[in-house]
Amino acid sequence: MGLRLHFVVDPMGWFCISMVLFVWLYNSFFIPQLVLMPHLQEGHIPGVVVVLYYLTSLLCITALFRASTADPGRLPLNPHIPHSEREQWELCNKCNLMRPKRSHHCSRCGHCVRKMDHHCPWINNCVGEDNHWLFLQLCFYTQVLSLFTLALDFCQYYYFPALTQTNQDLFLWRHELALLRISTFMGLFMLGGMGSLFYTQITGILADTTTIEKMSHFLEEINRPRQPWHQTFAEVFGTRWKILWFLPLRRRQALLGSHLLPSRV
């Protein structure tokens, strides 16, 4: 079965995700043109560095595309509720549909999402049960790409030897310093923002608590036994194979024994 695409019609969300795409495109174009390819041609860096940078960039944009277009866990209009699980369902007072407990109605998207964490304008989508793992991958690969970019900017400033085969009349080389400063600023901004977001996401998963539950002081009503960390993450990513936690191009499957509805991502 193919991957289902989910699009949210929200001009503000389109603007935010366009800004994220601009940052990615900027660093995926100017850094290779200014740093990687020239130093590779003159033998200052090995080819594996270039391959790793492009691989990290590819994983980052793939995670962004999947997180922004994946169904976060939208509930069907007429869900099948097993008799043994009816106590775990409740009526939404906004859309008047039955939903599992810990679901939330998103005012931006206009529907309920299973185990919704929050609505993220930067991916123009909700972060819910079915795409939370993709959002974590996006945060992770954005940090890796930002660190990679900052390291290359630093090396270009202080470490790499001067290039001998550059055309100083080209736009890139006439404005090299300004372009690198912009790249450094965006790298620091993305690293700081995604780092703090990634930390709050990890601590929330380990505590089995969503961002909405933290903000609404709903914790008093949640009484669940703590699980080992690997079991908790396995439920989020839909697999116990840890290597698959880092791959965005796959389908998430609910683990056996889970009471949740099957994933469509």
Side-chain angles (χ1 to χ4, degrees):
M1 185 181 298
L3 301 175
R4 285 185 60 178
L5 298 182
H6 172 82
F7 295 99
V8 178
V9 180
D10 182 8
M12 179 58 69
W14 293 341
F15 172 78
C16 291
I17 198 171
S18 297
M19 296 295 293
V20 176
L21 283 171
F22 171 77
V23 174
W24 176 83
L25 285 170
Y26 184 95
N27 288 286
S28 296
F29 175 77
F30 285 112
I31 292 302
Q33 294 296 318
L34 281 173
V35 183
L36 290 175
M37 302 312 296
H39 287 285
L40 175 66
Q41 292 171 359
E42 297 196 10
H44 300 156
I45 59 175
V48 66
V49 175
V50 179
V51 173
L52 287 176
Y53 188 85
Y54 276 115
L55 178 61
T56 304
S57 179
L58 178 62
L59 289 170
C60 183
I61 193 61
T62 302
L64 173 62
F65 175 78
R66 294 279 285 117
S68 61
T69 60
D71 187 342
R74 180 176 180 175
L75 289 165
L77 296 179
N78 296 304
H80 172 69
I81 307 176
H83 181 75
S84 59
E85 299 177 7
R86 290 184 178 178
E87 292 184 358
Q88 301 299 321
W89 289 66
E90 60 187 9
L91 182 68
C92 174
N93 58 8
K94 295 182 180 178
C95 59
N96 294 321
L97 295 175
M98 294 300 294
R99 66 185 187 186
K101 291 184 178 179
R102 305 190 70 189
S103 300
H104 184 78
H105 186 91
C106 178
S107 58
R108 284 276 186 181
C109 299
H111 53 251
C112 289
V113 176
R114 296 195 309 272
K115 201 175 179 182
M116 178 177 167
D117 187 83
H118 67 286
H119 182 92
C120 180
W122 301 106
I123 64 171
N124 192 31
N125 200 0
C126 290
V127 177
E129 178 187 295
D130 284 351
N131 71 340
H132 200 172
W133 63 285
L134 291 165
F135 186 72
L136 288 175
Q137 287 184 358
L138 174 62
C139 293
F140 174 77
Y141 285 122
T142 301
Q143 291 178 89
V144 175
L145 185 61
S146 298
L147 279 172
F148 211 153
T149 301
L150 289 171
L152 291 172
D153 290 341
F154 176 83
C155 290
Q156 181 73 354
Y157 276 125
Y158 302 110
Y159 181 75
F160 289 148
L163 296 168
T164 60
Q165 302 177 12
T166 59
N167 185 353
Q168 297 298 324
D169 293 331
L170 294 178
F171 173 84
L172 283 175
W173 300 109
R174 284 190 288 111
H175 302 281
E176 175 190 4
L177 188 59
L179 294 172
L180 286 175
R181 285 176 175 174
I182 294 173
S183 174
T184 302
F185 171 78
M186 291 192 298
L188 290 171
F189 179 80
M190 295 299 290
L191 181 63
M194 282 298 187
S196 60
L197 181 59
F198 189 66
Y199 173 78
T200 58
Q201 290 294 303
I202 293 298
T203 55
I205 290 174
L206 292 174
D208 196 10
T209 305
T210 66
T211 301
I212 290 177
E213 290 168 349
K214 291 179 183 177
M215 296 176 63
S216 61
H217 307 289
F218 187 62
L219 299 179
E220 298 80 5
E221 303 179 27
I222 303 175
N223 185 18
R224 296 181 301 277
R226 292 290 180 88
Q227 300 182 106
W229 70 269
H230 50 84
Q231 176 64 24
T232 302
F233 278 94
E235 292 182 359
V236 172
F237 286 93
T239 177
R240 293 184 174 87
W241 291 86
K242 295 181 178 60
I243 188 64
L244 296 180
W245 295 359
F246 298 91
L247 301 180
L249 285 178
R250 64 176 180 85
R251 285 178 56 84
R252 176 186 179 274
Q253 298 291 338
L255 297 181
L256 292 177
S258 175
H259 69 279
L260 302 173
L261 296 176
S263 169
R264 296 188 295 273
V265 180

